Amino acid sequence: MANYNIIPLNELIAQFERLPGIGKKTAQRLAYNILEQPPERAQQFAEALVNARKKIHFCKDCQGFTDMEKCAICSDNTRDRSVICVVAEPKDVMAFERTREFSGLYHVLHGVISPMDGIGPDSLRIKELMTRLSNEDIKEIIMATNPTVEGEATASYISRLVKPMGIKVTRLAYGIPVGSDLEYADEYTLARALEGRNEI
Amino acid sequence: MANYNIIPLNELIAQFERLPGIGKKTAQRLAYNILEQPPERAQQFAEALVNARKKIHFCKDCQGFTDMEKCAICSDNTRDRSVICVVAEPKDVMAFERTREFSGLYHVLHGVISPMDGIGPDSLRIKELMTRLSNEDIKEIIMATNPTVEGEATASYISRLVKPMGIKVTRLAYGIPVGSDLEYADEYTLARALEGRNEI
């Protein structure tokens, strides 16, 4: 049977399919949606893509995303400049900002140490963190990597580098998530929650 | 607390969020992915969007998508030009082509009659179908709209228009899906499967 492929459509489907978590079927649905909308929609989408990628780069201090030289958090003089919360990904900054409980600064590593994937300490923004610690008056760094094997390894690697500098290194508390049901908590989480119990 | 929004990033998230089935969280994840890729990726994606929307339009005969004047199916002289399969959406054409069992032509309505959404027969490509039926030697039209209330209403509306022209109108068979389990078949489907039973 003949091949009825429409090349520009296939190219658009392929672009959607390259996005994380988007499979073949979803990519097709999204591409068809673009074709069904006015041409201005595709044009605006295209401009937003190019514009975001062109204007946004890494903050020279915290390595998070910004469209300025320094990001808005690093430029904010009302924030506590003696504490740095170290996260793996730029989106983790947003998660902490949503809590409205942290007023210090951030540092984005852009990944975690993962020998299986060939990611060693040199692939991360650890050198930039060490420069900040040497040049600025930092009292504490909070290791806020994920509670996974790689996240733990990264936290303890950085902790070993930083402690000799006389800077306090802390780790996020482990425990039962707020609003969760004890019945469904795994034994490791529950053990850590017991271990870290507080007087009420 | 200060507002740390990065405007080009928010604009990109908003564009992803306008896609069907993409929520706030997924839109953020996709936008961050674009920022983490080389700039060429965003550029290629942007070009694919604009290119697809600019080059692809409706086939003057079947109203399906094509980047030529007539689509590849309508231009294919080896196909049976006496049968038209009438579908609601352009993506339905692909579904039938994948079966490799249909060698006739298609007609895309671009929707179904749905008074609740303000979609009457005039919003669909029914006029274009009637023109084809008048000008060409069509022996049968197969109504292949979805087995929903709107799909049925559309099929019977078109059937009433076409039958007086002496053209055979058929509807897709109802029945149990291949490979399914009878236990999970709903009573309407099972009733239709009984009704349409064939001698073996």
Side-chain angles (χ1 to χ4, degrees):
Chain A
M1 202 176 262
N3 175 17
Y4 300 117
N5 285 329
I6 306 168
I7 294 164
L9 176 60
N10 288 355
E11 283 171 354
L12 182 56
I13 293 171
Q15 288 293 336
F16 275 116
E17 225 181 323
R18 288 177 62 184
L19 293 169
I22 304 287
K24 182 102 197 152
K25 281 258 172 177
T26 306
Q28 283 175 352
R29 193 167 46 81
L30 300 180
Y32 275 112
N33 177 260
I34 293 293
L35 296 182
E36 285 157 6
Q37 308 275 333
E40 299 76 46
R41 166 85 175 95
Q43 190 63 46
Q44 285 164 10
F45 197 164
E47 280 164 18
L49 278 164
V50 174
N51 209 23
R53 190 61 191 80
K54 198 170 64 190
K55 291 195 180 157
I56 300 174
H57 44 253
F58 302 133
C59 168
K60 75 184 187 60
D61 286 355
C62 74
Q63 311 294 319
F65 287 131
T66 180
D67 55 347
M68 298 170 291
E69 195 196 0
K70 258 191 187 189
C71 80
I73 295 174
C74 288
S75 315
D76 184 346
N77 285 321
T78 68
R79 297 191 71 120
D80 179 355
R81 312 190 80 78
S82 70
V83 189
I84 293 180
C85 177
V86 178
V87 297
E89 302 295 343
K91 61 178 177 292
D92 299 331
V93 171
M94 297 302 137
F96 280 102
E97 285 300 295
R98 278 194 295 271
T99 68
R100 298 171 176 267
E101 291 289 338
F102 180 69
S103 63
L105 303 178
Y106 294 95
H107 191 86
V108 182
L109 297 172
H110 290 275
V112 282
I113 297 171
S114 176
M116 296 280 283
D117 304 310
I119 304 171
D122 294 344
S123 314
L124 307 179
R125 308 292 168 104
I126 295 176
K127 206 171 68 244
E128 290 81 355
L129 174 64
M130 300 314 285
T131 309
R132 289 177 76 184
L133 298 181
S134 310
N135 298 343
E136 294 161 45
D137 187 22
I138 310 294
K139 303 223 165 7
E140 179 182 354
I141 70 165
I142 304 169
M143 290 306 311
T145 49
N146 277 329
T148 57
V149 174
E150 292 83 6
E152 292 304 335
T154 309
S156 61
Y157 177 87
I158 292 176
S159 160
R160 278 196 304 274
L161 288 182
V162 174
K163 272 188 179 162
M165 302 169 83
I167 296 169
K168 187 169 148 190
V169 184
T170 57
R171 180 85 176 103
L172 289 182
Y174 290 99
I176 45 172
V178 177
S180 64
D181 192 324
L182 281 185
E183 193 184 348
Y184 302 114
D186 65 282
E187 60 269 37
Y188 305 102
T189 302
L190 219 47
R192 294 295 197 108
L194 259 179
E195 199 180 307
R197 68 190 178 277
N198 301 301
E199 203 173 313
I200 49 174
Chain B
M1 201 174 263
N3 175 19
Y4 300 117
N5 283 328
I6 306 168
I7 294 165
L9 175 60
N10 288 354
E11 283 171 354
L12 182 56
I13 293 172
Q15 289 292 336
F16 275 116
E17 225 181 322
R18 287 178 62 184
L19 292 169
I22 304 289
K24 182 101 198 154
K25 281 260 171 175
T26 306
Q28 283 175 354
R29 193 168 45 82
L30 300 180
Y32 275 111
N33 177 261
I34 293 293
L35 296 183
E36 285 156 7
Q37 308 276 332
E40 300 75 48
R41 166 84 175 95
Q43 189 63 46
Q44 285 164 10
F45 197 165
E47 279 164 17
L49 278 165
V50 174
N51 208 21
R53 190 61 190 81
K54 197 169 66 188
K55 290 194 182 159
I56 300 174
H57 44 254
F58 302 134
C59 168
K60 74 182 188 62
D61 286 355
C62 73
Q63 310 293 320
F65 287 130
T66 180
D67 55 347
M68 298 170 291
E69 195 195 3
K70 256 190 188 192
C71 80
I73 296 174
C74 289
S75 315
D76 184 346
N77 286 322
T78 67
R79 296 191 71 121
D80 179 355
R81 311 191 81 78
S82 70
V83 189
I84 293 180
C85 177
V86 178
V87 296
E89 303 295 343
K91 61 177 177 293
D92 299 331
V93 171
M94 296 303 137
F96 280 102
E97 284 300 295
R98 277 194 296 270
T99 69
R100 298 171 176 266
E101 290 288 338
F102 180 69
S103 63
L105 303 178
Y106 294 95
H107 191 86
V108 182
L109 297 172
H110 290 275
V112 283
I113 297 172
S114 175
M116 297 279 283
D117 304 310
I119 304 172
D122 294 344
S123 314
L124 308 179
R125 308 291 168 103
I126 295 177
K127 207 171 67 242
E128 290 81 354
L129 174 63
M130 300 314 286
T131 309
R132 290 177 75 183
L133 298 182
S134 310
N135 298 343
E136 294 161 45
D137 188 22
I138 310 295
K139 302 221 165 9
E140 179 183 354
I141 69 166
I142 304 170
M143 291 305 312
T145 50
N146 277 330
T148 58
V149 174
E150 291 82 7
E152 292 303 336
T154 309
S156 61
Y157 177 88
I158 293 175
S159 160
R160 278 197 302 273
L161 289 181
V162 174
K163 273 187 176 164
M165 302 169 83
I167 296 168
K168 187 168 148 191
V169 183
T170 56
R171 181 84 176 104
L172 291 182
Y174 291 99
I176 45 172
V178 177
S180 63
D181 192 325
L182 281 185
E183 194 184 348
Y184 302 113
D186 65 281
E187 59 268 39
Y188 305 103
T189 302
L190 219 46
R192 294 293 197 108
L194 259 178
E195 200 182 305
R197 66 189 181 278
N198 301 300
E199 203 172 312
I200 50 174

